Amino acid sequence: MKEMSATGVSMHGGQQPQKHYGITSSISMAFPREIDHQYTFKLSEAMKPFGVFEDEDELNHRLAVLGKLNTFVKEWIAEISETKNLPPSAITNVGGKIFTFGSYRLGVHTKGADIDALCVSPRHVERTDFFDSFFAKLKQHDEIKDLRAVEDAFVPVIKFKFDGIEIDLLFARLALQTIPDNLDLRGDSHLRNLDIRCIRSLNGCRVTDEILYLVPNKENFRLTLRAIKLWAKRRGIYSNMLGFLGGVSWAMLVARTCQLYPNAVASTLVHKFFLVFSKWEWPNPVLLKQPEDSNLNLPVWDPRVNPSDRYHLMPIITPAYPQQNSTYNVSTSTRTIMSEEFKYGLSVTDEILQGKADWSKLFEPPNFFQKYKHYIVLTASASTEENHLEWIGLVESKIRVLVGNLERNEYITLAHVNPQSFPGNKESHNENEFVSMWFIGIIFKKVENAESVNIDLTYDIQSFTDTVYRQANNINMLKDGMKIEATHVKKKQLHQYLPAELVQKKKRVMWTPGLLSHWATCYFSCAFCLQSRCLRMASRRSPASLRSGRALRRACPSLSLAPVSVHPSLLGIHALHMNVPEPDFLFLSPPSPEPVLVAPPVPAPPAGSSIPTVVGLSVGPRPAEPNQNGAPAAAKRLHQPAGEELSKRLRETAQPVSVLAFVPENRRSWCTLHGLLKQLWRVEYLLCPLETAD
């Protein structure tokens, strides 16, 4: 197969050439079905309450603002050209242009989102002109508010609000005499003879344009990316600064999914996104195209040449030259958390596409404050609001340093930072202080043969605070009243820092016959056979670990399994998939290695007939012995038979038995269902292990 830079063409005999995208051929070229369009419509509707779509008026307002800004740039460049004694004919055609990048350029911006923009000028305009005369020109306009320049940033920027819309404006000058309106920045030749700050400023536009060029269907890509970005934000894994993924990284993952399924619509692409990246073998890099060398001697991501690149845990490589890893901040903990979220997203979208859940379930936030037993509370405070905004920006940019310190502690397995910050509790701080807090969930390693271990986090925390204070000193930011503290707390102490609604457990819904229909995927009719005095299973895996129908099929591949609902005679719920005969036994898998066999009541057998038994558990109640007065005696509680009696009963059982299996999610669910089954069926039960076949 011959592959070209952006797309490839493969020839198969006399067939028409087939186009493919990316560095490999597609996984599936299947076109969408009618039901796929229906799921896509439902996905779009489910996202609307979260404000991910702007209306026509808001879109037109943004276009008008960008048009005015573009006019400002052209006027300013003409004025600068005149001061630098360019001839009038050259001034007329000198040009200048505003380019957009990021979420706005990709077409996935949300309501109220800012616009990332780039001012491109000809070669005679200097960066100092941009931060002096252009800054002064913006200051003269009444529509522009909150104007501030960050000239010493890694990528220098001017930030402001233009008629209510936040704009981050970068600057780059090209080695051109004029800047035409039809300028395409994707050409690598534009990078020649530029300083590194201009190259960094151009990179955002070049990457965004390249992503859009490399996807097969822009509209499907955009709707899918909106869904994935919303999901990532709701699940707390959207932050490049804190070691998760930022907007461009999520865009490249979605773009790669679109390349692998070029004809799929958004609902399918969201599901395939989770399928692909829940199984991705990191640190294999995600590439949208083969890296190209433009012979400009710029540093690019290449682990064969750069030893530091070999330690990147989750590389996602930008498609524009010079290629860079957009996820260099990812740590062991953040990769683990995101991998778990990919798997969770796959399980939820499986349910959605099977008609068992709505798209709203995908966007449900996790309860971070119930997930861990231990937390680090990081507090940043300052004496004025202006100092506080400046201070928390620096502290937040360094939190990943603290996460790295904690990960290197031999007693810590995982450090999970919540990207959301919270205002400080007024009761525990001075009224004139401005306070922000971040929370980091901690999982400690279990130490064998030790009742308690004292873990000292002083060095890890002190090293982090020293780094922050040192950085603040280096850039002359540190002012009186700026403080940072880190404290270890247990889950039960979180109420001292947070509102009650954030730390309280969500109320569990009591199980009722109607609600048990949600368990439909966990009910199975299984063909078990009694052979050689034991109940044989085709797997040694404990049923306690079986959490879904798919897991049960993987664990016991030779069993004949069919997803059903509870039989109507049990809970009054009709079968969702098929009608099944009433089972001989119920199998209730507990959250422990020991299964529970529960028998439904059946009529007493005729005299002389044998009663099938499994591991000493009778299918039906024994006939009551008449007492001395001839009246039937009260039924006695079943007992576990002795070994000889057990063997005898097993030998008498020659017929296969059907089993209805229940696989609860946790111990509380097991206890609730166990009590409900016992009440409705009035069964005797016995805890006993299953023997497994050799």
Side-chain angles (χ1 to χ4, degrees):
M1 182 178 295
K2 184 179 179 181
E3 183 162 301
M4 303 174 72
S5 61
T7 62
V9 177
S10 58
M11 303 290 293
H12 300 281
Q15 297 180 0
Q16 290 292 327
Q18 185 177 353
K19 182 179 179 181
H20 72 262
Y21 295 79
I23 63 172
T24 64
S25 58
S26 302
I27 293 177
S28 172
M29 298 290 293
F31 286 91
R33 305 163 297 171
E34 178 59 31
I35 194 171
D36 297 326
H37 290 292
Q38 294 174 11
Y39 278 124
T40 299
F41 175 77
K42 291 178 181 178
L43 171 62
S44 181
E45 291 297 307
M47 289 192 287
K48 286 182 179 178
F50 297 99
V52 298
F53 300 104
E54 278 192 327
D55 59 33
E56 199 68 27
D57 291 339
E58 292 169 316
L59 290 172
N60 291 334
H61 179 53
R62 286 179 183 270
L63 289 173
V65 166
L66 287 172
K68 291 180 182 179
L69 185 59
N70 196 55
T71 301
F72 287 173
V73 167
K74 289 180 180 293
E75 291 175 355
W76 166 67
I77 291 177
E79 293 168 2
I80 288 292
S81 302
E82 189 175 355
T83 62
K84 298 193 176 184
N85 299 321
L86 264 69
S89 58
I91 294 174
T92 304
N93 300 315
V94 73
K97 188 176 180 182
I98 289 289
F99 291 85
T100 59
F101 61 98
S103 62
Y104 181 80
R105 176 69 180 96
L106 289 172
V108 296
H109 61 285
T110 58
K111 288 184 178 180
D114 64 353
I115 296 178
D116 296 312
L118 171 69
C119 170
V120 176
S121 75
R123 63 190 180 189
H124 62 272
V125 180
E126 304 283 345
R127 181 173 297 274
T128 53
D129 298 326
F130 177 73
F131 282 98
D132 291 339
S133 58
F134 185 68
F135 185 86
K137 184 178 180 66
L138 291 175
K139 200 180 250 187
Q140 295 172 0
H141 288 270
D142 296 334
E143 292 178 299
I144 292 178
K145 310 289 183 184
D146 300 337
L147 182 65
R148 58 200 185 279
V150 190
E151 192 171 356
D152 55 354
F154 184 74
V155 181
V157 60
I158 293 178
K159 296 173 175 281
F160 55 92
K161 276 187 180 180
F162 194 149
D163 198 10
I165 295 178
E166 291 188 21
I167 295 178
D168 291 348
L169 186 62
L170 311 183
F171 173 82
R173 65 167 186 162
L174 302 184
L176 300 174
Q177 290 183 344
T178 62
I179 303 298
D181 287 337
N182 62 350
L183 177 66
D184 184 358
L185 295 177
R186 290 179 56 238
D188 294 344
S189 60
H190 292 311
L191 303 179
R192 203 174 300 277
N193 301 321
L194 297 189
D195 66 65
I196 189 62
R197 289 175 297 180
C198 286
I199 292 174
R200 289 173 187 157
S201 298
L202 286 167
N203 193 50
C205 289
R206 287 167 49 79
V207 168
T208 304
D209 289 349
E210 198 69 34
I211 290 172
L212 288 174
Y213 178 75
L214 292 170
V215 295
N217 185 302
K218 293 181 178 60
E219 290 308 310
N220 291 338
F221 163 76
R222 284 172 175 144
L223 186 55
T224 306
L225 181 55
R226 284 185 186 275
I228 294 302
K229 288 181 67 172
L230 175 60
W231 164 81
K233 290 175 181 178
R234 297 285 292 173
R235 301 298 296 180
I237 54 173
Y238 190 103
S239 176
N240 178 62
M241 185 184 296
L242 295 178
F244 296 105
L245 303 190
V248 68
S249 299
W250 291 116
M252 287 189 285
L253 293 187
V254 171
R256 185 67 186 120
T257 307
C258 293
Q259 290 179 341
L260 295 172
Y261 300 90
N263 297 319
V265 291
S267 59
T268 304
L269 289 170
V270 169
H271 177 250
K272 297 303 184 184
F273 172 90
F274 292 118
L275 177 64
V276 169
F277 294 109
S278 64
K279 300 181 184 300
W280 196 271
E281 296 180 357
W282 306 105
N284 289 328
V286 175
L287 296 163
L288 297 182
K289 60 183 264 190
Q290 287 290 0
E292 300 170 351
D293 188 2
S294 297
N295 296 319
L296 297 178
N297 295 322
L298 295 174
V300 298
W301 184 87
D302 189 346
R304 299 169 300 178
V305 177
N306 307 317
S308 60
D309 292 345
R310 300 168 194 169
Y311 297 97
H312 292 175
L313 300 176
M314 202 173 177
I316 302 172
I317 310 305
T318 56
Y321 179 84
Q323 297 84 10
Q324 302 294 323
N325 175 24
S326 65
T327 60
Y328 56 86
N329 285 340
V330 169
S331 68
T332 304
S333 291
T334 53
R335 186 180 71 174
T336 299
I337 294 158
M338 287 187 284
S339 296
E340 291 175 355
E341 290 294 340
F342 288 143
K343 294 174 184 176
Y344 172 78
L346 178 61
S347 67
V348 173
T349 50
D350 279 340
E351 292 181 19
I352 293 169
L353 298 184
Q354 292 169 13
K356 298 170 184 174
D358 297 325
W359 283 108
S360 58
K361 184 175 180 180
L362 184 65
F363 306 123
E364 291 177 357
N367 194 339
F368 177 81
F369 298 106
Q370 291 295 327
K371 191 173 182 179
Y372 303 103
K373 294 181 179 179
H374 301 271
Y375 294 85
I376 299 290
V377 183
L378 181 62
T379 306
S381 58
S383 55
T384 68
E385 185 174 7
E386 184 180 356
N387 290 348
H388 177 246
L389 290 174
E390 197 174 17
W391 182 231
I392 63 173
L394 176 63
V395 172
E396 187 175 25
S397 70
K398 299 299 179 183
I399 288 178
R400 66 178 184 271
V401 174
L402 175 58
V403 171
N405 292 346
L406 295 171
E407 286 178 341
R408 286 187 287 273
N409 190 301
E410 60 177 326
Y411 294 107
I412 292 178
T413 302
L414 183 136
H416 180 181
V417 58
N418 186 345
Q420 183 180 359
S421 62
F422 298 86
N425 191 336
K426 292 294 184 182
E427 296 177 359
S428 56
H429 297 90
N430 297 331
E431 291 186 2
N432 58 350
E433 274 190 321
F434 294 85
V435 181
S436 293
M437 297 184 298
W438 293 266
F439 292 81
I440 304 173
I442 301 293
I443 296 179
F444 290 106
K445 289 181 180 177
K446 293 181 179 179
V447 181
E448 297 181 358
N449 303 322
E451 294 184 1
S452 63
V453 177
N454 292 325
I455 301 173
D456 188 3
L457 300 179
T458 304
Y459 174 79
D460 303 325
I461 293 173
Q462 188 65 46
S463 174
F464 161 71
T465 56
D466 289 347
T467 300
V468 175
Y469 285 127
R470 183 168 55 252
Q471 177 72 14
N473 264 323
N474 291 342
I475 60 176
N476 298 319
M477 179 194 290
L478 192 61
K479 299 178 179 65
D480 290 340
M482 289 183 172
K483 294 183 295 185
I484 182 171
E485 298 175 356
T487 310
H488 166 257
V489 299
K490 293 184 178 180
K491 180 167 66 175
K492 61 184 179 183
Q493 299 171 302
L494 288 174
H495 70 275
Q496 301 173 13
Y497 300 87
L498 293 165
E501 59 269 18
L502 288 176
V503 297
Q504 286 177 346
K505 289 185 179 179
K506 294 181 180 178
K507 292 183 178 180
R508 293 181 179 272
V509 179
M510 294 300 294
W511 289 102
T512 65
L515 289 175
L516 279 171
S517 62
H518 292 291
W519 282 37
T521 57
C522 298
Y523 306 158
F524 299 89
S525 178
C526 312
F528 284 76
C529 278
L530 292 172
Q531 298 174 356
S532 306
R533 306 179 185 178
C534 70
L535 180 63
R536 294 185 178 271
M537 293 181 66
S539 172
R540 289 187 177 274
R541 289 189 61 178
S542 164
S545 67
L546 306 178
R547 293 290 179 255
S548 68
R550 182 169 294 178
L552 187 56
R553 287 187 178 86
R554 285 199 301 266
C556 308
S558 64
L559 291 180
S560 174
L561 307 176
V564 298
S565 70
V566 185
H567 195 270
S569 65
L570 172 60
L571 296 175
I573 303 171
H574 297 289
L576 296 179
H577 300 280
M578 62 189 73
N579 291 322
V580 295
E582 184 167 335
D584 296 310
F585 293 93
L586 293 176
F587 179 76
L588 176 57
S589 171
S592 61
E594 298 83 22
V596 178
L597 288 176
V598 185
V602 296
S609 66
S610 62
I611 300 175
T613 56
V614 176
V615 198
L617 182 61
S618 176
V619 173
R622 297 178 181 174
E625 298 286 345
N627 58 19
Q628 294 178 351
N629 300 328
K636 294 182 180 180
R637 181 179 176 84
L638 293 177
H639 67 282
Q640 182 172 358
E644 293 83 6
E645 184 181 356
L646 208 162
S647 299
K648 179 182 177 182
R649 293 183 182 179
L650 289 173
R651 283 195 299 272
E652 292 174 347
T653 305
Q655 299 294 325
V657 288
S658 63
V659 178
L660 193 61
F662 292 76
V663 188
E665 290 290 337
N666 52 50
R667 182 169 182 80
R668 179 173 293 186
S669 299
W670 178 86
C671 293
T672 303
L673 184 63
H674 179 222
L676 182 61
L677 289 173
K678 183 178 177 183
Q679 178 184 1
L680 293 176
W681 287 77
R682 296 182 181 178
V683 296
E684 298 289 340
Y685 64 97
L686 181 68
L687 287 172
C688 50
L690 289 175
E691 295 181 50
T692 56
D694 294 329

